[in-house]
Amino acid sequence: LLLREVNPKEAFTAVDASGAFFRVSVKELTPAGGLAGPYELCAVSPEPTVNITLACAVLSRQRMLFVAQKATELGVTSIVPLLTEYSVKAGDLAHEKAHGWPGQVLRAAKQCRRSSLPEITPPMSFDAFLGSPLAQADLALCLDNVGGQTPVPERPPETVLLLVGPEGGFSDGERKKLEGKAMGWELGGRVLRAETAVLVGLAAVHLNWGDYR
């Protein structure tokens, strides 16, 4: 509760041993512990039915604040800010308020009544990400500006990786490295801003394999 900055008399969402979700009100909170009581059973789980990792190139003009907020509301499990050839560079992260991204996740989780906090990793290079366990998923999809196809997995995936490139997309070299690791996914014929692609892509994942089926 202290990590989530829950204050006395504030409500939050909790899950019991049976998997039922409740809205809970904090009665008392101290560094040593606290007292809270459930007052409402959640009719629908606030947690996603599919585990989604969003790997998004770091966008300029502080748009990662928006991405962190909306991705949390749309039920991602993890957010990985990527340093790619055309993304914001590591030396400019302070200007992009990277220190504020976890706070956006926290506030968004409170607003949408999630019981869990998505993990937001430190920014990592494209190559480091591809070599990490974070890049492993039942279905890996890449939203880029060069088209793609319609994924038809043999069975509904339990884990989905959604990669979103920066404005200008991934470089040719980065696309080459994604071959065999992520499928290009085309969502209509319009060129979307990167932050719009995040919203559309996450909603499409839920429509096909997640909460909105």
Side-chain angles (χ1 to χ4, degrees):
L1 295 181
L2 294 176
L3 175 65
R4 298 191 62 167
E5 300 180 5
V6 177
N7 301 312
K9 299 184 180 180
E10 186 176 358
F12 65 99
T13 303
V15 59
D16 68 9
S18 72
F21 292 87
F22 294 86
R23 292 294 288 168
V24 178
S25 178
V26 177
K27 308 298 183 185
E28 179 183 327
L29 187 62
T30 69
L35 178 66
Y39 66 87
E40 180 184 352
L41 174 66
C42 298
V44 180
S45 167
E47 293 303 312
T49 55
V50 60
N51 290 328
I52 306 171
T53 294
L54 171 67
C56 181
V58 178
L59 308 179
S60 61
R61 302 193 297 280
Q62 300 176 5
R63 286 174 292 166
M64 290 302 290
L65 294 167
F66 174 88
V67 167
Q69 179 190 76
K70 300 309 177 188
T72 300
E73 293 177 17
L74 287 167
V76 301
T77 306
S78 302
I79 302 171
V80 184
L82 292 179
L83 299 171
T84 70
E85 187 170 339
Y86 301 141
S87 75
V88 168
K89 304 308 177 187
D92 296 323
L93 289 173
H95 177 72
E96 297 302 326
K97 296 187 177 180
H99 64 279
W101 300 345
Q104 289 293 96
V105 167
L106 176 61
R107 288 185 289 274
K110 283 186 177 183
Q111 187 277 326
C112 69
R113 299 188 173 187
R114 288 187 64 167
S115 63
S116 66
L117 286 178
E119 175 192 14
I120 182 163
T121 72
M124 64 175 63
S125 72
F126 184 80
D127 288 343
F129 169 73
L130 289 184
S132 75
L134 290 165
Q136 304 303 312
D138 295 337
L139 180 62
L141 302 168
C142 176
L143 296 181
D144 201 1
N145 60 352
V146 293
Q149 52 190 307
T150 301
V152 185
E154 294 182 0
R155 57 183 180 273
E158 295 183 2
T159 57
V160 175
L161 167 63
L162 183 68
L163 290 125
V164 179
E167 290 184 355
F170 292 110
S171 68
D172 290 341
E174 289 164 343
R175 294 187 185 108
K176 190 73 175 176
K177 292 175 182 178
L178 285 172
E179 290 180 2
K181 296 183 178 180
M183 178 188 299
W185 195 16
E186 187 172 40
L187 295 174
R190 291 172 294 279
V191 177
L192 305 178
R193 290 183 180 273
E195 66 271 28
T196 306
V198 169
L199 303 185
V200 173
L202 291 174
V205 168
H206 281 300
L207 280 167
N208 284 279
W209 309 287
D211 297 353
Y212 307 155
R213 286 184 297 170

